[in-house]
Amino acid sequence: MFWNCRLRHKKEEMIMANNFEFYAPTKVIFGKGTESETGRQIKEFGAASVLIVYGGGSVKRSGLLEKVEHALDDARIMFCELGGVVPNPRLDKVYEGIRIGKSKNVDFLLAVGGGSVIDTAKAIAYGLAEPEKDVWELFAHTRMATKCMPVASVLSIAAAGSETSKGCVITNEKTGEKRAYDDNLARPKFAIMNPEYTKSLPDYQTESGCTDIMMHTMERYFTNGGNMEITDAIAEGLLRTVMKNAVILHQNPGDQDARGEIMWAGSVAHNDLTGCGNDGGDFMTHKLEHELGGMFDVTHGAGLAAVWPSWARYVCGECLHRFVRFARNVMGVTLDGTDEEVAEAGICAMEDFYRGIGMPTNLDELGIHPTDAQIEDMAERCMIAAGARTGSAKKLNREDAIRIYQNARE
């Protein structure tokens, strides 16, 4: 297998970096016992009524939810709750949270869980801040938000990076549309991270999370619009670190140090640091996967792993210098060959890595078998969501999306 770190053999031609703004206002409280800080942190924002949003029973079984509630009680902060958030979080749950928030005069949203829970809390916060408007309009991109109630999180799953990012993704279960909305208004005020609470996750969910973390970095890495050496070094180091610790956790799920590394990597990967100086990133693998999630309700990280090799081979020729650098610096490819051969070796090494941690590398391994009609529908929806021809490694249109889905199926 290739994916041991090696220094690249030759200097690639650098493209001048873009101007950028880096905005990362989220306060991070990391480590053992930090959940006890929840009440004190919320009190600093003058909150009087908090809506706690959570998912299934894991935060109850682990005792995390109870500890958060005690912290709020100790701080004399009123709270109500909304449970039942599911992966690929649903619009109906957002509407339910808005109704509860209105009735309880909520002025602060606290997510206890992972990315789906945090995204739901962000969407509710938008809806409560502008109650006269339909929050789905934001995700349909027919308007932009002007206000958002404050949001914070107590993280229990390392994956989405939503705890420090401006983004959130919601699925409209009536239409099958899975759509993202990005706005700095929803950047969480703080994120409490105790890696101990990720130990109960099944291996598949842990490794799906590692894949999502890596993909947030790779979406910003495979670009044609300019890069910075320091940003590349951060991104490459993050990818190598996540790969190393993903393997450790696949073999030893209880390794606390590895869980800490992955949890912090998830936040760094999606707070925009690994995109400073580029052209905004590619993000077409995410957009392609969103349609898989909307249609087939697949696990997000696993869907990304299933689509990425097909996307990579489809765009590689127009972003060859980045794929060569990735092969050398991240996957440790030492092959002497043409750039095309080195790039292909890097993609193959990534497929080996995915399979080594139990992730799929195509749609068959993911367990879904879309028809030609379903592929055409997903491609059409993808282009509507993306705003027509888009991407950075290679500009893609509807026909390109169809080919990538088809190649991923084969």
Side-chain angles (χ1 to χ4, degrees):
M1 298 176 74
F2 288 113
W3 43 273
N4 290 318
C5 172
R6 299 286 190 276
L7 292 177
R8 68 185 186 278
H9 292 323
K10 60 183 179 180
K11 176 78 173 177
E12 68 174 87
E13 181 180 351
M14 297 297 294
I15 303 172
M16 184 174 293
N18 295 276
N19 294 356
F20 67 88
E21 293 182 7
F22 177 59
Y23 180 64
T26 304
K27 180 179 182 180
V28 173
I29 304 101
F30 186 99
K32 294 181 179 179
T34 49
E35 64 276 5
S36 63
E37 288 285 302
T38 308
R40 188 174 70 83
Q41 294 298 324
I42 291 178
K43 201 159 190 174
E44 290 184 6
F45 294 93
S49 180
V50 175
L51 176 59
I52 302 175
V53 183
Y54 63 95
S58 61
V59 294
K60 287 186 174 181
R61 290 191 298 271
S62 69
L64 177 58
L65 183 62
E66 183 178 10
K67 289 183 179 180
V68 169
E69 292 169 343
H70 286 164
L72 294 180
D73 282 335
D74 290 344
R76 300 179 184 275
I77 297 172
M78 299 290 293
F79 62 88
C80 53
E81 297 180 357
L82 172 68
V85 175
V86 297
N88 296 314
R90 310 296 200 264
L91 180 61
D92 276 356
K93 185 61 67 173
V94 173
Y95 287 148
E96 182 182 352
I98 293 171
R99 290 193 296 270
I100 293 172
K102 287 179 180 178
S103 67
K104 300 294 185 179
N105 294 315
V106 163
D107 59 5
F108 198 100
L109 278 294
L110 179 67
V112 182
S116 295
V117 172
I118 301 169
D119 285 3
T120 299
K122 288 178 179 179
I124 294 169
Y126 283 127
L128 289 176
E130 299 184 275
E132 73 284 358
K133 298 177 181 178
D134 183 359
V135 70
W136 180 249
E137 294 172 352
L138 301 178
F139 298 89
H141 299 284
T142 58
R143 69 175 176 91
M144 295 182 64
T146 60
K147 294 182 289 185
C148 184
M149 280 195 178
V151 181
S153 71
V154 181
L155 192 63
S156 67
I157 300 173
S162 191
E163 67 275 4
T164 58
S165 81
K166 64 182 178 180
C168 60
V169 181
I170 297 294
T171 298
N172 185 330
E173 59 271 48
K174 293 181 180 178
T175 65
E177 296 171 290
K178 183 178 179 180
R179 296 289 179 262
Y181 182 70
D182 297 341
D183 197 311
N184 281 320
L185 290 171
R187 293 262 188 187
K189 301 302 181 184
F190 64 83
I192 290 175
M193 304 181 194
N194 182 347
E196 290 183 353
Y197 287 103
T198 70
K199 288 193 297 186
S200 63
L201 295 175
D203 180 66
Y204 190 79
Q205 192 170 3
T206 295
E207 302 304 340
S208 293
C210 292
T211 303
D212 194 14
I213 291 167
M214 292 176 64
M215 200 63 65
H216 285 148
T217 304
M218 291 156 67
E219 297 279 30
R220 296 172 169 91
Y221 186 88
F222 291 107
T223 65
N224 269 319
N227 301 93
M228 294 184 73
E229 186 70 22
I230 182 61
T231 301
D232 280 346
I234 293 169
E236 291 161 0
L238 189 152
L239 290 167
R240 293 192 300 266
T241 298
V242 173
M243 292 173 70
K244 171 186 173 181
N245 287 282
V247 172
I248 291 172
L249 291 177
H250 191 56
Q251 299 168 347
N252 179 16
D255 191 300
Q256 191 65 19
D257 290 338
R259 291 204 170 272
E261 296 281 356
I262 294 296
M263 180 170 265
W264 180 230
S267 294
V268 175
H270 206 34
N271 71 353
D272 295 331
L273 179 63
T274 58
C276 289
N278 72 12
D279 62 358
D282 188 273
F283 287 96
M284 281 307 299
T285 303
H286 263 79
K287 289 180 171 65
L288 291 162
E289 193 287 327
H290 283 172
E291 303 312 320
L292 292 176
M295 183 173 289
F296 297 101
D297 199 26
V298 298
T299 301
H300 177 56
L304 292 170
V307 170
W308 186 82
S310 175
W311 170 87
R313 290 188 171 97
Y314 194 85
V315 307
C316 181
E318 294 194 28
C319 197
L320 191 58
H321 66 293
R322 300 299 290 171
F323 279 90
V324 170
R325 178 173 178 132
F326 175 78
R328 297 294 194 198
N329 289 15
V330 178
M331 304 312 296
V333 172
T334 58
L335 173 73
D336 289 328
T338 66
D339 284 352
E340 288 79 6
E341 290 170 336
V342 171
E344 173 61 21
I347 295 170
C348 289
M350 179 57 80
E351 289 178 312
D352 288 342
F353 166 73
Y354 283 151
R355 294 190 184 104
I357 61 170
M359 286 289 99
T361 61
N362 55 55
L363 299 185
D364 184 62
E365 291 176 8
L366 183 61
I368 62 173
H369 308 282
T371 65
D372 288 342
Q374 287 174 321
I375 283 177
E376 290 180 7
D377 186 31
M378 287 191 294
E380 183 69 27
R381 289 171 179 258
C382 180
M383 288 302 109
I384 291 172
R389 194 166 181 262
T390 190
S392 177
K394 174 183 172 71
K395 297 292 184 185
L396 302 180
N397 58 27
R398 177 180 177 276
E399 295 306 312
D400 296 320
I402 289 173
R403 288 299 302 149
I404 292 169
Y405 283 131
Q406 289 174 336
N407 293 344
R409 187 178 59 181
E410 297 170 358

